[in-house]
Amino acid sequence: MVKKDVPEHRSGCPLSIALEIFGDRWTLLILRDLMFKQYSTYKEFLESGEGIATNVLADRIRMLQEQGIIVGERSTSDARIICYRPTQKGLDLLPVMVEMIIWADQYEETAAPARIMRRLREDRTGFIDEVRKRFTEAEKGKG
Amino acid sequence: MVKKDVPEHRSGCPLSIALEIFGDRWTLLILRDLMFKQYSTYKEFLESGEGIATNVLADRIRMLQEQGIIVGERSTSDARIICYRPTQKGLDLLPVMVEMIIWADQYEETAAPARIMRRLREDRTGFIDEVRKRFTEAEKGKG
DNA sequence: CCGGATCCGTTTCGATACTG
DNA sequence: CAGTATCGAAACGGATCCGG
């Protein structure tokens, strides 16, 4: 069972509020798969390589939906499959994630291609808009 | 600055590396206290209002030092007190934290004064440089 | 097959009491 | 003041089961 939503934030500090998403190791990995790897289904997240358990994945997906960060809907072509995509609120997390990536790559050995990292550093807003556009256009094409 | 080696269970993805700092609710609160509230001692962190336990605080401080994100040294005026301050690597986390704050304030009710939030949104690099300068100047003044 | 729910042994976390 | 030691609570991983 999931820990219920936190009625009292421990303080009104923005950072402590953001911790509901960032204070957990799995949530960000799911968002990375969703936004950068363009994974969209439960199964893809599960096989993403980091080894998340099924109950944990289900729990985090539920939380992200409750927070309005992602939405899920059944695929029109295969009704068994649920496709998740980020909402506006979810896409607005991109600047945070990009800054994280830049920081980590600067100080630790990462597997990120140097070409992509240079792109990120030199034109982060362009990169973010590109990702954002992928999802907003997909949504239009869907309707 | 030493580059730390990555634990095997994680992929080389920058985001998964950054999770060692961000995938924990307490670590960011400590960094917030350190950089924004200008707290610097164990006791100040402890009484910061969020209710961190003593062992958890000790653990996170140790981890942040091992990661080279903060350093601690005994006060020259009172040898009982250990003053912690962010390193360059720690200060480089400011962009991530600022983006987090902006995101949280945009979507949740926060206690952050509107004046400060506007400053953050409109001049985030100026704000970051200001914080950064506080610590680099303090370090010069110390020597 | 897909997206979960449930049960369970194990690990990790954190609140409290205590110490150097 | 700045931490350990202890121990119960919570989260996790893994296997299994289930409805569509």
Side-chain angles (χ1 to χ4, degrees), chain A residues 26-55:
Chain A
W26 294 116
T27 305
L28 263 181
L29 292 176
I30 295 172
L31 291 172
R32 174 204 63 184
D33 290 347
L34 188 69
M35 302 214 229
F36 298 134
K37 297 191 184 178
Q38 290 189 269
Y39 291 177
S40 63
T41 70
Y42 184 93
K43 192 192 179 196
E44 285 174 322
F45 298 142
L46 204 61
E47 294 169 350
S48 175
E50 322 269 357
I52 189 172
T54 63
N55 54 351

Side-chain angles (χ1 to χ4, degrees), chain B residues 9-36:
Chain B
H9 64 283
R10 292 224 203 283
S11 67
C13 164
L15 254 180
S16 73
I17 290 171
L19 281 181
E20 301 198 24
I21 286 87
F22 295 108
D24 171 72
R25 27 197 269 273
W26 294 115
T27 304
L28 264 181
L29 292 176
I30 294 172
L31 290 172
R32 174 204 61 185
D33 290 346
L34 188 69
M35 302 213 230
F36 297 134

Side-chain angles (χ1 to χ4, degrees), chain A residues 9 17 22 26 38 41 67 88 93 95 141:
Chain A
H9 300 119
I17 289 170
F22 294 108
W26 294 116
Q38 290 189 269
T41 70
Q67 299 271 341
Q88 189 60 46
L93 285 169

Side-chain angles (χ1 to χ4, degrees), chain A residues 4-10 20:
Chain A
K4 270 316 293 173
D5 54 341
V6 202
E8 42 90 24
H9 300 119
R10 284 172 311 190
E20 299 194 27

